[in-house]
Amino acid sequence: WQRAIGVLQSMREDGEIPNLYCLNAAIAACEKGGAWVEALELYESIRSQRKSTIRTNFITVNSLLIALEKAGQVELAESIYQEAMRDKIISPWVRRYDNDGTLRRMMDLHKFSAPMAKIAVRGYLESLLSRKKKVIRGDTIFIVGKGKGSE
């Protein structure tokens, strides 16, 4: 992770602007190296560049959430997840027709890392518990794992 941060610094010193691929690779390196503070700093540096064309994406958020979960930073990870949901970077919700032709709202987690999926499910369950009316209409459908045709 230190080498990745060093490469970014060298690029900036040479007048080059690191693209999102470089930044995501550095965040992933920080995640693998247990450097969650540095991963968070990189994420925040991307987000603070309002005039830049570089925006965080699914990969950015996912790598950061893994780093934060490994470090036990659950509340911070939940906050980042909610922020990404508000910014429409990620959304676990899809609408699909069931076999009987009924349109269903489903939580599709099969592309989510385990930390991101935990946050999504926890957030959904907490939203159910915080409702004034505890009535749940219909089934809650969670899509997980590898689908048909996955290798």
Side-chain angles (χ1 to χ4, degrees), residues 4 8 17 25 27 35 46-47 62 72 77 102 114 120 140-141 149:
L8 291 180
I17 300 170
I27 291 172
I46 298 168
R47 300 227 359 120
N62 190 50
T102 305
T140 300
I141 300 170

Side-chain angles (χ1 to χ4, degrees), residues 22-148:
C22 296
L23 295 164
N24 281 346
I27 291 172
C30 290
E31 172 259 309
K32 294 194 181 2
W36 69 271
V37 173
E38 289 78 2
L40 182 61
E41 287 172 354
L42 283 170
Y43 173 82
E44 292 298 336
S45 74
I46 298 168
R47 300 227 359 120
S48 68
Q49 298 174 12
R50 297 289 176 209
K51 294 181 183 178
S52 173
T53 57
I54 298 175
R55 299 277 183 258
T56 57
N57 64 11
F58 183 91
I59 294 166
T60 316
V61 173
N62 190 50
S63 294
L64 181 59
L65 294 179
I66 294 168
L68 293 172
E69 192 213 38
K70 284 181 179 178
Q73 300 295 318
V74 177
E75 288 179 16
L76 184 54
E78 289 172 353
S79 174
I80 298 289
Y81 177 84
Q82 292 302 324
E83 184 178 83
M85 289 270 295
R86 276 191 306 275
D87 292 346
K88 298 183 180 358
I89 295 169
I90 55 174
S91 175
W93 297 107
V94 296
R95 294 189 185 276
R96 295 202 181 130
Y97 287 97
D98 230 347
N99 292 337
D100 65 359
T102 305
L103 184 62
R104 304 257 184 212
R105 184 173 180 237
M106 305 174 192
M107 185 176 270
D108 186 351
L109 303 171
H110 83 275
K111 292 182 181 176
F112 283 29
S113 63
M116 188 184 286
K118 284 182 204 176
I119 293 168
V121 171
R122 187 181 309 116
Y124 172 67
L125 295 175
E126 286 174 0
S127 75
L128 292 177
L129 293 172
S130 68
R131 289 183 182 175
K132 290 183 181 177
K133 293 183 179 182
K134 303 291 185 199
V135 178
I136 301 173
R137 295 191 178 136
D139 295 331
T140 300
I141 300 170
F142 296 93
I143 303 169
V144 297
K146 293 183 178 180
K148 185 177 180 182

